[in-house]
Amino acid sequence: MPRSSHSPGSQQLDLLGGGQPAQIHRLFFALLPDDAVARQIETAAAAAALAQQLRARMIRPSRYHLTLHFLGDHPQLRTDIVNAAIDAAGKVRGGPFELLLDSASAFHGREPPCVLRCEQTPAALQTLWQDLRHALTLAGAGMHVSRSFTPHVTYAYSRSALPQAVAIEPVCWRVDGFALLHSVVGGGEYRILDRWRL
């Protein structure tokens, strides 16, 4: 299914003709840092922002994550996609691995996302992404997944020029699971629908 054509500012008329913002429901698989790693990310993000002389909207540590697969924006929570995703994730096997975030850079965009990245993607992370992608395809949710993977954790959205890449004090993250998340765009914290151990 293609992404919803609604935008966060789109309006939906109620029965009396009044407008209220249309909700956009987002589904995705992600790695979630524990509190200790989230603190490391917050410290590295603050140092990177200072080094880059960044004017930016910083992300709350409770929203730090590394997206594995984005499953689309929808006008309502799609239980069919949720069920297919849960079925797919249950078939993925793997073990814990170490992830090292060691650089800060940004992607192009209206408000460029400022991100922490790993210079070398761990083979176990690439395998996890590929295995989950394959399982999603077999479960009927393959039309939503990306063909490429650039691991990153977004820590801010720049309000000025695209910041230069800088090295950071490495963030050591032992990954031992992943989660299926739901959020309402602009609506606060993520909701964990299910999670799996590695």
Side-chain angles (χ1 to χ4, degrees), residues 8 20 34 53 55 71 80 86 92 98-99 120 124 129 154 161-162 165 193:
Q20 48 187 321
D34 62 22
Q53 299 183 324
R55 288 179 50 247
L71 299 180
D80 58 327
I86 289 172
V92 172
E98 300 295 327
L99 173 62
Q120 296 291 328
W129 178 83
T154 301
L162 194 72
L193 299 181

Side-chain angles (χ1 to χ4, degrees), residues 174-197:
R174 180 170 173 78
V175 176
D176 60 6
F178 63 100
L180 175 62
L181 302 180
H182 165 244
S183 69
V184 175
V185 175
E189 299 302 319
Y190 300 129
R191 174 184 166 209
I192 299 174
L193 299 181
D194 210 338
R195 59 196 316 165
W196 295 264
R197 302 284 293 180

Side-chain angles (χ1 to χ4, degrees), residues 127-152:
T127 298
L128 172 61
W129 178 83
Q130 289 172 333
D131 289 352
L132 184 54
R133 184 178 188 276
H134 181 66
L136 285 165
T137 299
L138 292 179
M143 71 285 290
H144 301 287
V145 300
S146 174
R147 294 177 181 273
S148 61
F149 181 43
T150 304
H152 64 275

Side-chain angles (χ1 to χ4, degrees), residues 106-120:
F107 298 127
H108 289 277
R110 187 173 57 85
E111 275 190 303
C114 304
V115 301
L116 303 186
R117 296 177 60 176
C118 46
E119 289 296 329
Q120 296 291 328

